[in-house]
Amino acid sequence: MESLLYPCINACRKFVSLDGLWKMQFDPSSCGKEEGWVNGLPDPFSMPVPGTFADLFTEKENRDYCGDFWYETKFFLEKQEGKEIYLRFGSVTHRAEVYVNGQYAGSHEGGFTPFSLNITNLVTQDARNRLVVKVNNELSETSIPCGATGMLSDGRKIAKPYFDFFNYSGIQRSVQVTYVPKESIQDYDTSISLNGNDAEIAYTVWTNGDHEVVAEVFDRKGNKTAESRGKESSFVIENVHLWDLDDPYLYSIVFRIVDGDQDIDKYPAKLGIRTIQVQGKKILLNGKEIYLKGYGKHEDFEVIGRTFNYSVAKRDYALMKWSGANCFRTSHYPYAEEWYQMADEEGFLIIDEVPAVGMMRSLMNFAAAGAGGKDTRFFIADTIPQLQENHKQAIREMIQRDKNHPSVIAFSIFNEPETTYQEAYDYFKPLFDYARSLDRQHRPLTGALLVNSTPDRCHCHPLCDFISLNRYYGWYIAGGPDLPDAEKAFRKEMDAWQKICEDKPLIFTEFGADTSAFEHKLPSVMWSQEYQNEYYDMNFRVMDSYDFIKGELVWNFADFQTTEGIMRVNGNKKGIFTRNRQPKDAAFLLKKRWETKS
Ligand code: GCB
């Protein structure tokens, strides 16, 4: 198993960050390999890593560059006896081929999960080494997310996403060289059961050797609370301090591979003890019912694009908390690992989504699909088996990476695919089964359903442990003066879901209205801040009439960048906050509602 564990430094492990200013070069004619770029880029410019390249340029063709592009850096590798040496990439969007000192080290498909390559035999220790990465950001109907690659008359490739966010790309997350003992901890997982005041934690540790494993748990003060031996074992914590929204208590857990009293390897992590269940119409956290309040988000900010930045993330958590939210969905891809670490600390719930978006013919067709227009069949092409393979890999990597976070309460397997034909069920059923087999905590699985996925037509909602709807009554359907009709149509649809949701919760994973932070109008018009408030008032009125609705995640937390087009004014403006994280009027409406809503 390839280890995706987050790097750490202790007596057994070490890492060196390669973040900094690298070299980069576009390769529009894909000649780089033939011309030997693996040994060094002939005519590069400088580029930050981690970084999204698009918004750093002043030239449009550079911002919109689509195709192959290359990165290069050099690093000094300190000698370390008896260690395996890996290169770990937080993510490279959408695919990477890695070369160390001119030799092929490995490749990875999928732009939102980490990968790690063993480079022990490719590097020279106590010397400088050359790292070259060939990246490609083209979209296709087998890539996750889905899209197409167009060609302009001048021969330039252009991204045609089947989704509503900019196709930001590059080496977007941190890169490290990690030194790991030869016999090492590859991964671990836990399951939690509560029994009165006590918790029983069962765990498995995967290693690549035969030595014994010891697990030790410490409370926040550093007192040892539990200990167990074995790769597969369990321990009980008496009078457990649970991880909860208002008290996100984290224990420390340390796994060690031991040889007598010597540590062969040691991996420390945080342990938040909580349970999450769906029971009848309820979602239960630690056995108590919760109502999800919050946002669909993006990793998106001015200049840095999709690059993780602690200050932006801290501000986002502060704003989400200020508004009374308790949850967000990582629409439409797994975010940088630091988001989840912060959610564990901040007491936030995450619905973790795989980048399965765009499984519709196109964004314009997707709007037509909403109006019941064109044939939207998607899962019939001969590309589907390859798409499903990539989708499966993305699910595996997301769950492998994120399964130990208490903040992660559910996994979302899709966003708005075509679901109204049997083929959609046949495509998704094995993926849901696979996801269930990977998550030892049996977290609920879901997927966000588009407006044409109505209860009578959708083949996929039975796969979901709770139903998630993206609905735009009052925006894409019956907006502006038609708002009263939007309410009627919305109620009609919810009456139909009621029958299905006798025994299943339903949440909204999206609802929202594009709103200019500069428009005020009395009486309201669409795009004004007054209209955004009226839109939400109507939607909340409807949601409050149904007892099976157990959550509302508005679309979107903040305005974000999309591809250019007639439906977007320099991006999607459905943010409750502007792109630079200041409130629109609706933020105060949400705050008022969420501070008291439970
Ligand atoms: C959706 C998509 C989301 C879009 C949103 C919109 O249903 O899931 O990616 O940004 O609608 O604003 O149209």
Side-chain angles (χ1 to χ4, degrees), residues 523-589:
S524 73
V525 288
M526 291 172 86
W527 294 88
S528 69
Q529 300 210 43
E530 287 70 19
Y531 187 76
Q532 195 178 26
N533 280 356
E534 287 164 23
Y535 170 94
Y536 278 117
D537 277 338
M538 183 283 276
N539 275 265
F540 290 142
R541 203 160 51 234
V542 174
M543 291 176 192
D544 288 343
S545 329
Y546 296 91
D547 70 349
F548 59 89
I549 297 176
K550 297 301 179 191
E552 49 194 53
L553 307 184
V554 303
W555 191 255
N556 186 283
F557 170 73
D559 294 346
F560 60 91
Q561 194 67 59
T562 63
T563 314
E564 293 174 69
I566 52 167
M567 284 169 69
R568 299 290 176 251
V569 188
N570 183 19
N572 187 308
K573 294 288 186 279
K574 294 192 185 69
I576 299 302
F577 297 91
T578 59
R579 202 177 184 211
N580 63 359
R581 278 35 177 187
Q582 297 303 333
K584 298 183 192 169
D585 284 2
F588 298 92
L589 182 143

Side-chain angles (χ1 to χ4, degrees), residues 84 128 177 237 258 267 307 525 551:
E84 293 292 302
R128 272 164 82 75
V177 172
I237 298 184
V258 292
Y267 190 78
T307 323
V525 288

Side-chain angles (χ1 to χ4, degrees), residues 30-43:
S30 297
C31 64
K33 226 191 268 180
E34 254 166 54
E35 292 185 3
W37 294 15
V38 299
N39 294 310
L41 304 184
D43 188 19

